[in-house]
Amino acid sequence: SCLFMTAGAVERQAGTNDLSKLGGLFRAMPVTGLCFLVAAVAISGIAPLNGFFSKELIFRGTLDTGWTLFFIAAEVGSFLTLSSMLKLGHSVFFGARPGNLGGVKEAPFGMLLPMLVLAAVCVLFGFGASLPVQYFISPALAALGLPAGELAGFHANGLFWVSVIVVLSAISWHMLNLRGEGAARVSDALRGTPGLKWIYDAAERRAFDLYEQVMGKLVPWAANLLFKADRFFDWVLDTAPSSAANALGGAVKRFHNGSYPLYMALTLAGTLAYLLLLVGGNGGLK
């Protein structure tokens, strides 16, 4: 939530959310930049902010239950999250500031206050992780009959050092791409990573956009199918019977042309047919 608020503040003050048109805003918007850094560090799972303890619970849970694959996936997610936060922060708050942003000023207090409160919560629930554990998590676990265990406090165990390696790897990757591509391309640092290019390409095609795939493709396809089914039943129940009735009526109309000899011939033919059927039904004349 804090990150969304900082993004909104930057867009309001700079007039754009295009990363290629932003940069160097930390001096102009120091409070917003500080709140962004705190929230970015927290969501990236860096100790000792709240995100570290949240991710530690996930990592420990995957290992304790034997789902090592999920542990690896979670660590890769942490690497990508931190890499994304690094490229985002660099593109917005650091580097050279475009000339058209020279007059940008800090966001108004009404926008800064909720950002500061949320950033403070990230810090408080990090250094003081025992608070949410004591008042929220432990009572919930106790109600389920589960032991809370040691959920708070700093644990310099293997998981911590794995997190340190992930953090250092993401920072090193960012710096290498920054040096090779320059500040203008830092937002594309991950795109060329082996194995990720196809994901970026698919994302640009909106392959992972649930609304686009369901509402943009599946729903119109289903609607078109239902429309065709409706047209078919409409033809079966309305168009086809009406056409058949019109054709039969036209044929009967053409047949009844008012000719007296024709009517007499039909009468005699009908009488003869009736007599033949009558004789045949009685086993013939005796």
Side-chain angles (χ1 to χ4, degrees):
S1 299
C2 186
L3 288 172
F4 278 116
M5 290 181 179
T6 59
V10 169
E11 183 176 5
R12 180 184 185 277
Q13 299 303 106
T16 180
N17 60 4
D18 189 341
L19 295 183
S20 63
K21 299 179 181 179
L22 295 169
L25 293 180
F26 192 85
R27 290 186 178 182
M29 306 177 67
V31 179
T32 300
L34 180 62
C35 290
F36 170 85
L37 289 177
V38 171
V41 169
I43 201 173
S44 299
I46 298 178
L49 299 184
N50 64 324
F52 170 78
F53 296 100
S54 300
K55 291 191 174 185
E56 186 186 31
L57 294 177
I58 296 175
F59 296 152
R60 190 191 303 179
T62 57
L63 294 177
D64 290 347
T65 55
W67 289 98
T68 307
L69 180 61
F70 287 171
F71 169 76
I72 297 174
E75 291 290 0
V76 172
S78 295
F79 171 83
L80 296 176
T81 301
L82 181 55
S83 298
S84 300
M85 292 299 105
L86 287 170
K87 70 180 182 180
L88 179 60
H90 185 100
S91 299
V92 176
F93 294 104
F94 300 100
R97 189 192 311 183
N100 62 317
L101 300 181
V104 173
K105 298 181 180 180
E106 183 60 272
F109 180 75
M111 299 185 72
L112 294 178
L113 180 59
M115 285 191 286
L116 288 169
V117 171
L118 291 175
V121 170
C122 292
V123 175
L124 179 62
F125 279 13
F127 286 94
S130 58
L131 293 176
V133 170
Q134 179 180 353
Y135 294 106
F136 297 111
I137 300 177
S138 293
L141 292 175
L144 296 173
L146 300 173
E150 187 183 355
L151 300 178
F154 182 74
H155 311 127
N157 50 21
L159 285 177
F160 170 76
W161 293 113
V162 170
S163 300
V164 170
I165 293 173
V166 170
V167 169
L168 294 177
S169 299
I171 295 175
S172 300
W173 179 252
H174 176 78
M175 297 305 297
L176 286 173
N177 282 277
L178 177 62
R179 180 178 298 179
E181 301 292 344
R185 294 290 304 280
V186 69
S187 60
D188 296 328
L190 289 175
R191 190 182 187 96
T193 304
L196 293 183
K197 186 178 184 304
W198 72 271
I199 297 179
Y200 274 85
D201 293 339
E204 287 190 347
R205 296 193 304 269
R206 309 183 79 173
F208 308 120
D209 189 332
L210 184 61
Y211 181 87
E212 175 70 18
Q213 297 303 318
V214 176
M215 301 301 294
K217 295 181 179 180
L218 182 60
V219 170
W221 178 83
N224 185 55
L225 181 63
L226 292 175
F227 174 78
K228 291 181 178 179
D230 177 73
R231 295 298 90 190
F232 171 74
F233 288 114
D234 183 71
W235 179 85
V236 171
L237 299 176
D238 186 11
T239 305
S242 298
S243 299
N246 290 334
L248 181 62
V252 172
K253 183 178 180 180
R254 288 191 297 272
F255 190 75
H256 288 283
N257 55 11
S259 173
Y260 179 75
L262 175 62
Y263 292 155
M264 288 300 298
L266 291 174
T267 302
L268 293 175
T271 302
L272 179 61
Y274 173 73
L275 292 174
L276 291 175
L277 290 173
L278 184 63
V279 171
N282 292 323
L285 294 176
K286 294 182 179 178

